[in-house]
Amino acid sequence: MKILVMHQVPYRKIGYHLAIDHEAHDIAYFGTAASIAEIPQQLRCRRVVLDGPDGLAEQIIARTSREDGWEQVLALSEFGILEAAAVREHLGLPGPGRADLELIRDKVAMKQALVEAGVRHPRFAATPPASGPLPWSGRTVVKPRLGASSDGVTVHATAEDAVAHYRALPDPQAYQLEEYIDGELLHADGLVAVGQVMDLVVSRYVGKPVDFAAGAPIATGQLPADPRHVAFTEHVVQALRIEAGCIHLEFFETAAGELVFLEVANRLGGGGIVTAHLRRTGVHLAHHEIAIRLGLPRPDRLAPSGHYHGFAIFPGHRLDPSRPWRTDVPQRLSDHPALDRLHLLEDPAITSDGESGRTTYQEWQVPAFVEASHPDPVELARFLDDCTRSIRVTQPEPVPSPGGPPS
């Protein structure tokens, strides 16, 4: 099989060589110089370096043709989904069209489809009314229609404040407004094959991604299986016509027990989700997604741990990269039986995604990252909550040099 890989997700997160036999298939990776440099040197493949991350589809189209004999296009990044459709069309390959893919990329089209399907979701507006208020008055969220990782998301005390913020944006048409939902935020991660959800694991956040973007730590811990969560996920997948690949669905559970959609992505979840899911289920999400998308046999499952898994992330994008920081971890957390691994980063130069400038959740790019597990999901949640409250990443003020100005 001749496979074109749009290589955007860090190679260490995917491990393509563990999912595809590079001796049996002809594989070409298209990506930036930094992403191509991640590919193991000994791997049998073609490497095509593009001129930066912008205009991905156009660059690939300029370097390929139908006569090349491509049989598959593989794109595992949220930021390559729409571009992959254009590449497939250029190469004459089957796959979901742009209209279907916009349901899982454009947050307005996404929620409009859920209106028709009867899935509970926040009230929203693509643009505020030309005159008169929004149809709600309380806390309101302004977010990019095609965004991810909570980049550019703002929360406002009133709908009126949100509208004022929206109208002051340089490109307001790229944003939408929605009512703020009070409740616990959960995420569901699993696989879809021929429209069927499988290997689903649901986790609960400690904090929210929008808090992380603002500089606060967040955590997430797995929950016992709940048929309500599975049914809700299946309803969303059906409404948005998701046919294959990974899903990362975020939704609220209110105090009254109501499940309310937030957003969904047809890709791997970030942070430590791949590792936590693998340890809980024995399924490596990326390897199984590749098999599903390429029509290959799914890999064998590994032995599950029997524990519930989670992680905590401490952001570095609000730190000054020119100054050192200190991470303080209380001894009770270092000695806790739920702690599996503590990653501490010492190099300030790599606390953000240098290529895209976006907030990063990668454990090797943040000051501190905790991996945890416990046979009791309640104890796991308590430990992760304690981590977010008690671990401190600080940048002490520099000490004035002798003879310097008085403090």
Side-chain angles (χ1 to χ4, degrees):
M1 188 186 306
K2 190 167 186 178
I3 305 165
L4 188 160
V5 178
M6 297 170 63
H7 177 36
Q8 295 167 283
V9 182
Y11 194 95
R12 68 172 79 182
K13 208 72 167 178
I14 305 298
Y16 290 96
H17 63 285
L18 299 174
I20 311 173
D21 185 339
H22 283 58
E23 297 298 324
H25 302 285
D26 292 326
I27 301 168
Y29 293 89
F30 287 71
T32 64
S35 65
I36 294 300
E38 299 172 341
I39 301 170
Q41 286 299 315
Q42 71 275 17
L43 212 57
R44 176 186 171 271
C45 63
R46 180 183 166 204
R47 299 164 170 84
V48 182
V49 177
L50 303 178
D51 303 324
D54 297 328
L56 184 67
E58 291 80 0
Q59 292 190 65
I60 294 175
I61 287 170
R63 291 166 169 81
T64 59
S65 72
R66 296 191 180 196
E67 288 68 36
D68 296 334
W70 301 105
E71 297 171 80
Q72 294 279 0
V73 173
L74 187 61
L76 302 183
S77 168
E78 185 164 13
F79 300 103
I81 289 174
L82 295 177
E83 289 80 357
V87 173
R88 283 195 302 270
E89 182 179 0
H90 164 68
L91 298 176
L93 299 177
R98 187 177 183 90
D100 281 344
L101 293 174
E102 283 181 345
L103 297 180
I104 52 172
R105 284 294 289 127
D106 186 324
K107 292 176 174 58
V108 171
M110 186 184 293
K111 287 191 283 292
Q112 285 173 338
L114 297 180
V115 170
E116 300 171 6
V119 176
R120 173 76 167 91
H121 60 279
R123 287 178 290 178
F124 67 99
T127 58
S131 60
L134 289 168
W136 64 90
S137 60
R139 298 179 73 184
T140 300
V141 181
V142 179
K143 64 172 63 173
R145 293 176 61 147
L146 300 179
S149 302
S150 293
D151 281 333
V153 176
T154 54
V155 180
H156 305 269
T158 67
E160 184 179 42
D161 291 344
V163 169
H165 173 82
Y166 173 91
R167 288 184 170 142
L169 290 167
D171 183 17
Q173 297 302 315
Y175 290 75
Q176 57 111 49
L177 306 97
E178 66 184 38
E179 66 174 331
Y180 184 90
I181 301 296
D182 281 312
E184 293 189 318
L185 183 59
L186 287 72
H187 61 90
D189 297 273
L191 294 156
V192 179
V194 199
Q196 300 298 308
V197 176
M198 55 190 67
D199 300 310
L200 194 72
V201 175
V202 175
S203 304
R204 178 182 288 114
Y205 281 108
V206 177
K208 295 182 172 68
V210 69
D211 302 325
F212 185 85
I218 61 170
T220 175
Q222 294 169 344
L223 300 173
D226 186 330
R228 298 177 309 130
H229 298 159
V230 175
F232 185 81
T233 303
E234 290 174 340
H235 196 179
V236 170
V237 165
Q238 182 179 28
L240 298 180
R241 303 199 290 272
I242 299 174
E243 285 296 315
C246 285
I247 52 166
H248 176 69
L249 167 65
E250 294 183 342
F251 61 100
F252 294 98
E253 185 162 9
T254 69
E258 184 180 24
L259 304 182
V260 183
F261 176 89
L262 177 60
E263 58 190 51
V264 70
N266 192 188
R267 47 89 175 157
L268 288 170
I273 287 174
V274 172
T275 300
H277 196 283
L278 174 63
R279 290 173 177 166
R280 175 68 185 160
T281 66
V283 170
H284 191 289
L285 287 169
H287 299 166
H288 283 249
E289 175 174 27
I290 289 170
I292 289 169
R293 291 194 178 278
L294 298 182
L296 300 172
R298 289 180 62 182
D300 292 336
R301 293 171 179 267
L302 302 180
S305 68
H307 283 201
Y308 295 89
H309 295 264
F311 53 92
I313 318 175
F314 296 80
H317 57 274
R318 292 298 185 98
L319 299 175
D320 180 352
S322 68
R323 295 167 49 206
W325 62 73
R326 183 177 69 204
T327 302
D328 296 309
V329 182
Q331 193 65 41
R332 70 176 185 281
L333 298 180
S334 298
D335 296 338
H336 199 285
L339 179 66
D340 290 334
R341 190 174 178 189
L342 175 63
H343 308 253
L344 296 178
L345 180 66
E346 298 179 355
D347 184 356
I350 54 175
T351 59
S352 64
D353 183 342
E355 183 172 309
S356 69
R358 294 186 178 91
T359 303
T360 179
Y361 292 85
Q362 309 292 14
E363 59 266 35
W364 62 90
Q365 291 180 317
V366 295
F369 188 97
V370 173
E371 290 183 83
S373 65
H374 200 279
D376 182 349
V378 175
E379 287 300 320
L380 173 64
R382 286 182 182 140
F383 172 72
L384 291 169
D385 181 69
D386 196 3
C387 285
T388 62
R389 294 174 184 274
S390 304
I391 294 176
R392 292 284 180 265
V393 179
T394 57
Q395 287 188 296
E397 291 298 323
V399 178
S401 59
S407 57

